[in-house]
PDB file of all heavy atoms in Angstrom:
ATOM      1  N   PHE A 110      -2.691  -5.652   4.785  1.00 81.00           N
ATOM      2  CA  PHE A 110      -3.059  -6.688   5.607  1.00 81.00           C
ATOM      3  C   PHE A 110      -4.404  -7.225   5.254  1.00 81.00           C
ATOM      4  O   PHE A 110      -4.712  -8.413   5.184  1.00 81.00           O
ATOM      5  CB  PHE A 110      -3.137  -6.111   7.154  1.00 81.00           C
ATOM      6  CG  PHE A 110      -1.835  -6.028   7.802  1.00 81.00           C
ATOM      7  CD1 PHE A 110      -1.389  -4.972   8.441  1.00 81.00           C
ATOM      8  CD2 PHE A 110      -0.865  -7.076   7.691  1.00 81.00           C
ATOM      9  CE1 PHE A 110      -0.159  -4.867   9.089  1.00 81.00           C
ATOM     10  CE2 PHE A 110       0.428  -7.002   8.206  1.00 81.00           C
ATOM     11  CZ  PHE A 110       0.782  -5.834   8.915  1.00 81.00           C
ATOM     12  N   GLY A 111      -5.328  -6.353   4.874  1.00 84.00           N
ATOM     13  CA  GLY A 111      -6.681  -6.826   4.431  1.00 84.00           C
ATOM     14  C   GLY A 111      -6.621  -7.683   3.125  1.00 84.00           C
ATOM     15  O   GLY A 111      -7.217  -8.660   3.064  1.00 84.00           O
ATOM     16  N   VAL A 112      -5.776  -7.216   2.225  1.00 88.00           N
ATOM     17  CA  VAL A 112      -5.601  -8.069   0.995  1.00 88.00           C
ATOM     18  C   VAL A 112      -4.933  -9.305   1.288  1.00 88.00           C
ATOM     19  O   VAL A 112      -5.234 -10.429   0.772  1.00 88.00           O
ATOM     20  CB  VAL A 112      -4.754  -7.172  -0.030  1.00 88.00           C
ATOM     21  CG1 VAL A 112      -4.345  -7.987  -1.217  1.00 88.00           C
ATOM     22  CG2 VAL A 112      -5.489  -5.928  -0.535  1.00 88.00           C
ATOM     23  N   ALA A 113      -3.886  -9.334   2.182  1.00 89.00           N
ATOM     24  CA  ALA A 113      -3.136 -10.521   2.512  1.00 89.00           C
ATOM     25  C   ALA A 113      -4.168 -11.515   3.160  1.00 89.00           C
ATOM     26  O   ALA A 113      -4.159 -12.726   2.817  1.00 89.00           O
ATOM     27  CB  ALA A 113      -2.029 -10.205   3.452  1.00 89.00           C
ATOM     28  N   PHE A 114      -4.994 -11.143   4.062  1.00 89.00           N
ATOM     29  CA  PHE A 114      -5.974 -12.012   4.627  1.00 89.00           C
ATOM     30  C   PHE A 114      -6.883 -12.596   3.629  1.00 89.00           C
ATOM     31  O   PHE A 114      -7.174 -13.820   3.602  1.00 89.00           O
ATOM     32  CB  PHE A 114      -6.805 -11.306   5.768  1.00 89.00           C
ATOM     33  CG  PHE A 114      -6.163 -11.192   7.067  1.00 89.00           C
ATOM     34  CD1 PHE A 114      -5.858  -9.995   7.661  1.00 89.00           C
ATOM     35  CD2 PHE A 114      -5.883 -12.392   7.763  1.00 89.00           C
ATOM     36  CE1 PHE A 114      -5.276  -9.953   8.819  1.00 89.00           C
ATOM     37  CE2 PHE A 114      -5.274 -12.381   9.046  1.00 89.00           C
ATOM     38  CZ  PHE A 114      -4.808 -11.082   9.672  1.00 89.00           C
ATOM     39  N   GLY A 115      -7.326 -11.805   2.687  1.00 91.00           N
ATOM     40  CA  GLY A 115      -8.201 -12.228   1.618  1.00 91.00           C
ATOM     41  C   GLY A 115      -7.480 -13.246   0.695  1.00 91.00           C
ATOM     42  O   GLY A 115      -8.105 -14.232   0.302  1.00 91.00           O
ATOM     43  N   VAL A 116      -6.222 -12.993   0.269  1.00 91.00           N
ATOM     44  CA  VAL A 116      -5.547 -13.921  -0.456  1.00 91.00           C
ATOM     45  C   VAL A 116      -5.323 -15.263   0.238  1.00 91.00           C
ATOM     46  O   VAL A 116      -5.536 -16.334  -0.372  1.00 91.00           O
ATOM     47  CB  VAL A 116      -4.212 -13.248  -0.859  1.00 91.00           C
ATOM     48  CG1 VAL A 116      -3.200 -14.334  -1.478  1.00 91.00           C
ATOM     49  CG2 VAL A 116      -4.307 -12.097  -1.808  1.00 91.00           C
ATOM     50  N   VAL A 117      -4.898 -15.239   1.454  1.00 91.00           N
ATOM     51  CA  VAL A 117      -4.602 -16.473   2.235  1.00 91.00           C
ATOM     52  C   VAL A 117      -5.984 -17.240   2.327  1.00 91.00           C
ATOM     53  O   VAL A 117      -5.962 -18.457   2.132  1.00 91.00           O
ATOM     54  CB  VAL A 117      -4.115 -16.133   3.613  1.00 91.00           C
ATOM     55  CG1 VAL A 117      -4.144 -17.345   4.511  1.00 91.00           C
ATOM     56  CG2 VAL A 117      -2.680 -15.536   3.489  1.00 91.00           C
ATOM     57  N   PHE A 118      -7.089 -16.576   2.667  1.00 90.00           N
ATOM     58  CA  PHE A 118      -8.314 -17.283   2.859  1.00 90.00           C
ATOM     59  C   PHE A 118      -8.834 -17.849   1.542  1.00 90.00           C
ATOM     60  O   PHE A 118      -9.295 -19.026   1.540  1.00 90.00           O
ATOM     61  CB  PHE A 118      -9.348 -16.233   3.398  1.00 90.00           C
ATOM     62  CG  PHE A 118     -10.568 -16.921   4.123  1.00 90.00           C
ATOM     63  CD1 PHE A 118     -10.227 -17.523   5.317  1.00 90.00           C
ATOM     64  CD2 PHE A 118     -11.791 -16.855   3.668  1.00 90.00           C
ATOM     65  CE1 PHE A 118     -11.228 -17.995   6.079  1.00 90.00           C
ATOM     66  CE2 PHE A 118     -12.808 -17.408   4.339  1.00 90.00           C
ATOM     67  CZ  PHE A 118     -12.643 -18.079   5.515  1.00 90.00           C
ATOM     68  N   ALA A 119      -8.637 -17.176   0.437  1.00 92.00           N
ATOM     69  CA  ALA A 119      -9.159 -17.651  -0.852  1.00 92.00           C
ATOM     70  C   ALA A 119      -8.288 -18.845  -1.249  1.00 92.00           C
ATOM     71  O   ALA A 119      -8.732 -19.887  -1.777  1.00 92.00           O
ATOM     72  CB  ALA A 119      -9.107 -16.667  -1.918  1.00 92.00           C
ATOM     73  N   PRO A 131     -13.044 -11.837   4.330  1.00 93.00           N
ATOM     74  CA  PRO A 131     -12.447 -11.105   5.510  1.00 93.00           C
ATOM     75  C   PRO A 131     -12.845  -9.729   5.554  1.00 93.00           C
ATOM     76  O   PRO A 131     -13.237  -9.103   6.615  1.00 93.00           O
ATOM     77  CB  PRO A 131     -10.898 -11.481   5.295  1.00 93.00           C
ATOM     78  CG  PRO A 131     -10.828 -12.624   4.457  1.00 93.00           C
ATOM     79  CD  PRO A 131     -12.034 -12.526   3.507  1.00 93.00           C
TER      80      PRO A 131
END
Side-chain angles (χ1 to χ4, degrees):
F110 283 131
V112 172
F114 276 119
V116 168
V117 170
F118 205 66

